[in-house]
Amino acid sequence: SVNPDLASERQTASFSVEKLTALLDGGTEQTRIRRAVVEVIESDPVFSRENQYFQTQNERYEAAVRKAVHLQKKMHEMGWTENGPEFKYIYRALSGDVAFLLHRVFMRSISVLGSDKQISKWIPLATQHKLIGSYAQTELGHGTYLQGLETTAVFDTATQEFILNTPKISAMKWWPGDMGRSATHTVVFAQLYIHGKCYGIHPFIVQIRSLQDHSLCPGITAGDIGPKMNFEHIDNGYLLLKNVRIPRENMLSKFCEVQPDGTYVRQGSQKINYFTMTTVRISLISDEVLTPLMKACTIAIRYSVVRRQSKLKPGEQEAKILDYQTQQEKLLPQLAAAYAFHFINDYLQELFNRGYTEIQRKNFDMLPELHALSSGFKAVITQHCTAGVEICLRACGGHGYSLLSGLPSLYTKILASCIYEGENTILLLQTARFLIKCFMAASAGQPVPPSVTYLAAVKHGRCPAKNKLDFLSPDIYTEAYQHVAVRLTSSTAAKLQDLIQSGVKKHDAWNQCTVQLVQAAKAHCHYIAVKNFAETVEKLETKAGIQKIMKHLCDLFALHGIFSNTGAFLHDGYTSAAQMDMVTASYLDLLAVIRKDAVPLVDAFDFTDKSLNSALGSYDGQVYQRLYEWAQKSPTNQMSPAYERYLKPLLHNTLSKL
Amino acid sequence: SVNPDLASERQTASFSVEKLTALLDGGTEQTRIRRAVVEVIESDPVFSRENQYFQTQNERYEAAVRKAVHLQKKMHEMGWTENGPEFKYIYRALSGDVAFLLHRVFMRSISVLGSDKQISKWIPLATQHKLIGSYAQTELGHGTYLQGLETTAVFDTATQEFILNTPKISAMKWWPGDMGRSATHTVVFAQLYIHGKCYGIHPFIVQIRSLQDHSLCPGITAGDIGPKMNFEHIDNGYLLLKNVRIPRENMLSKFCEVQPDGTYVRQGSQKINYFTMTTVRISLISDEVLTPLMKACTIAIRYSVVRRQSKLKPGEQEAKILDYQTQQEKLLPQLAAAYAFHFINDYLQELFNRGYTEIQRKNFDMLPELHALSSGFKAVITQHCTAGVEICLRACGGHGYSLLSGLPSLYTKILASCIYEGENTILLLQTARFLIKCFMAASAGQPVPPSVTYLAAVKHGRCPAKNKLDFLSPDIYTEAYQHVAVRLTSSTAAKLQDLIQSGVKKHDAWNQCTVQLVQAAKAHCHYIAVKNFAETVEKLETKAGIQKIMKHLCDLFALHGIFSNTGAFLHDGYTSAAQMDMVTASYLDLLAVIRKDAVPLVDAFDFTDKSLNSALGSYDGQVYQRLYEWAQKSPTNQMSPAYERYLKPLLHNTLSKL
């Protein structure tokens, strides 16, 4: 039975939840396939996540391996393939709680970086799980700066082998997933040396464990790097190599080859490789970043209509906490952001598909723009969504702090997305570099890529809004965002030039502008996200109330961004103080409007109770019952030896010497 | 041997680290006592925290009980008493990783709320540990709003007993520390009923477990609430009461008594009780909030001069990451905030001591101000420091994400401080209510408490700064902060009045202003923190470079606040855009200045390696070595059954049906 406080929220939905779900999925057929996959996965007890909040890191690892192995059987049984329409829903239905994810990266890197001969040798072995692969790039002392990697691969002409070494402790491979305990093979990135000359970083296939008994191969030291904030199920590992010899054929050689006599031959373009990196950044947004935020919103919003605390009106019963303006102001902007980023993700996917087509035609023109967008949006979305999940957690008070709410693990996991696949600050500076370059080009009248043409059109006007309703016009706020993005880019470009002209060396000048460059990059992405949301809403079907509610969310997303960052809009007087008060008024009005549809808006994400794995967020809203029942199963309710050992002697005054 | 990259940072300190440590401790004698306590605690293996990142919740609980019991012996041995000068350093030296903290709250509540007779009965029992106490206030469905508690205590005249019940699942006591597994007694807060009439919330001493064998008493259901984001060592518990009878004498009756015939007598003032709550909020700031931020700064800053990544200048070696402006902008403001809040904590402690003296003279005039300041600063400091710890964690990249860095556990623990002892938003609204009231009084020419007299002096001037150096003048920035605090309070008061005058009901009008009221309360606290820091610096001794470096930190704290919140200062034109550019320039200049002393500034916090418990933050900076050695000890490097069960059958192709 559904908690009546939650049930009543669903009766007044202004739109069709089912239609919105289909919109998010990309069509009713996609919804159907997704639900079918979820049904199969969730009805299989091997895939259950019910006990995960009680498990140790060792237990989580073992469960993840069990699930990965079971998944192979399941896919075979169901006729699912890696290229089938179900595949993208499988990982999501498992909430990522499965081993051998790096095995897939191992395979992809061979496919992309290997010669045809290497592909035909290794891919079948990997596909049939005759080996378990990993991907060893990051070192203890080196992450962001690939050229700095210290692992070496020296070519020995005599034996036709490479000799691999991690010469210092900082050169040790550190972090690779699946490597601490599972992998038998890995792709090692190392500095290639031939006849004493360094040719830079290259990838090598190295066997690290015996296929017979899993013992470490000669020269290999490897293990698990220990406890982390999350990812307990993954055996992130370390790897030391001491004079490990591998045959010449194990250097992945699609782009570079070492011939038997030591001649180094570079062939083909490595640009596609560069493109792979950007694709990974985009591909993680959906499952690793948006899904957690959507889950957090679902949990926090459902809880906020069930939880009653204090009185809004004297004499009445305690109020649902979502009726407090401060609670709305915490949660509803996160909900709007989840939708905004869902749509920008669609936009980026589409752009990347076009980019990929062009690249296959050997046209690499789109690459710089794609790199800038993928870097910037990876950083902005992971940062925004991580903060959003934390806000949801805190907004649930003490119960949010219990692991059983599901929120702590969502937070500790999404947090990592700010760091992996490119640290966010580094990525934003990549975007900024592109912006500065394009701004200079545009100023000089040269053509620039589509997403930055707006930089050329520097307008010195003022915001034309006359009352608070004007700020519900996408043209008004989109232009304000554009203005800020142009101002921040142009002013930082000016500062950079001033510094250089005043004699500061180029790299120092750049460093002295980086705080502001990061701001410019964020403003650029924020502008594009707002613009894209507004354009998406414009194109939506008007029936079933979908367009209307999406328009509200778009307005909220845009106005929340202005309200939270008023200085950027006030700075040069583009927006006046009086206009900022209008923004505030419209923004606060919108909270009350969207609050009415808050539950239907999270219901549309269509998470099952099992996928939320939360005592606060279940569809029926029976929060207290669930917390109580679940807590009773905790291992902390088993008998503790602490009583006999310490408490009893203390209470009975039999502790020696006391 | 100290890592040379870290050692070199210490050679150029502009001030005496030892003198600064003494300033932070409150004198050289305090430093001596503190170090003596730390030495004793850290040389005792029972108090070791070395394995804590590897332990399960059950193991953590058992260790905390062991430490608590051992501490009793240790104190006896050392001649330390709860009233001695060492006591405040003991908890800090243990990093709070010890059981029976609620036993102290149990004792304090009896001392404050109990009659003399009750005190003389229970306090000796508690002191001698003939019972273990807890404190049961919060319920599953009720936290913030005490009047809403549902547990009942019905007086039975016939037997001279109270009958206690938790009538619904939402009435179950939930969260009390030490109650899940350890406590034998607890103070239960319940609605008192006499002859069918409710007299509101009162405290009752209830025995929950047998003193003989620790079994649950009749009518009691209790246990542990399960896993949380941190506090694994504490057995936060639940408690159900079913017709539990306790003698009339067990109601704590300093202020209210039920006589044998059921007559309810209220005696004395409960205002002191209200004062206790505010004292707790202040007392937690130092150990639970400032210490974690100081530790996080120590870890992140030491790591940032040891970690080298990418090149700042072409051709040179990779740069220390603290030399990047973006890294400075992440860490140095947190360092400045740690100092700012240390000094505001001194200010609050001093104010509360004065308040306490007044209250003992039955003068309660200072109470509203003390309540407003304690609420506001509890919220502002916990929020700011929590965000600061998270920034430190992220600033260490992947290694910050390892539990071995110490940063994740600092974060997950400090986060709770935003929730317990008053949820932050609720507290800020309490402060705001005080501000609005005082603003109205001041506007009407009535006297107001000292900390808010500034609200009366609304000035409509403009910031007089003419160049970036002017913003290093405390008068200039303090006045800017004051201006913003007045503006936000006055404009929200005006909005509130407008709404009420336009016919909106008072409580609705209040709710519609709460987002802005929270802003006003924060601005008020921020202003006082800046003013207090500036005044403190003014009074410092000028020798040994202490005043100079503290002045830099004060400037940074102030300018960072403006830089991060430019809209508030630009809004009404008090600060112009040109002046804001000066703020930015001065702020960024300061980063480079303070960066030079960053390591000495964290060294002055004087944390031992054991208290940091971090592979990244140790005094010698041997980061990589320590990570590697520590990781090897992880239980995840023991043999896993996953190989024989799953990996071997997979690799050997002997999985059935595959």
Side-chain angles (χ1 to χ4, degrees), chain A residues 62 140 143 175 181 211 224 307 309 330 390 398-399 401 403 411-412 425 571 577 636-638 645 652, chain B residues 62 140 143 175 181 211 224 227 307 309 330 390 398-399 401 411-412 425 571 577 636-638 645 652:
Chain A
E62 193 188 330
L140 195 40
W175 278 113
R181 315 179 88 167
L211 288 169
D224 187 280
R307 177 74 169 183
Q309 202 72 185
K330 288 174 191 176
E390 200 211 39
H399 293 321
Y401 192 78
L403 290 200
Y411 174 75
T412 52
T425 304
H571 190 92
T636 52
N637 281 312
Q638 292 156 7
R645 281 188 200 154
H652 292 197
Chain B
E62 194 188 330
L140 196 41
W175 277 112
R181 317 179 88 167
L211 289 169
D224 187 280
R307 178 74 169 183
Q309 202 73 186
K330 289 175 191 174
E390 200 210 38
H399 293 321
Y401 192 77
Y411 175 75
T412 53
T425 304
H571 190 94
T636 51
N637 280 312
Q638 292 156 6
R645 283 190 199 152
H652 293 195

Side-chain angles (χ1 to χ4, degrees), chain B residues 398-414:
Chain B
H399 293 321
Y401 192 77
S402 164
L403 290 201
L404 305 180
S405 75
L407 292 164
S409 60
L410 288 172
Y411 175 75
T412 53
K413 194 169 182 196
I414 196 175

Side-chain angles (χ1 to χ4, degrees), chain B residues 380-395:
Chain B
V380 165
I381 297 177
T382 56
Q383 204 133 321
H384 205 116
C385 293
T386 301
V389 173
E390 200 210 38
I391 289 168
C392 290
L393 188 156
R394 289 201 205 180

Side-chain angles (χ1 to χ4, degrees), chain A residues 449-479:
Chain A
S451 63
V452 285
T453 47
Y454 76 95
L455 290 175
V458 189
K459 289 171 223 152
H460 292 285
R462 285 174 182 262
C463 173
K466 292 198 170 46
N467 56 54
K468 70 176 181 178
L469 295 180
D470 284 347
F471 278 103
L472 303 180
S473 154
D475 288 346
I476 296 277
Y477 56 67
T478 305
E479 199 141 330

Side-chain angles (χ1 to χ4, degrees), chain A residues 86 106 110 195 201 220 240 306 340 650:
Chain A
E86 296 88 1
F106 173 83
I110 293 171
H195 302 318
I201 294 299
I220 300 288
L240 279 163
V306 165
L650 181 74

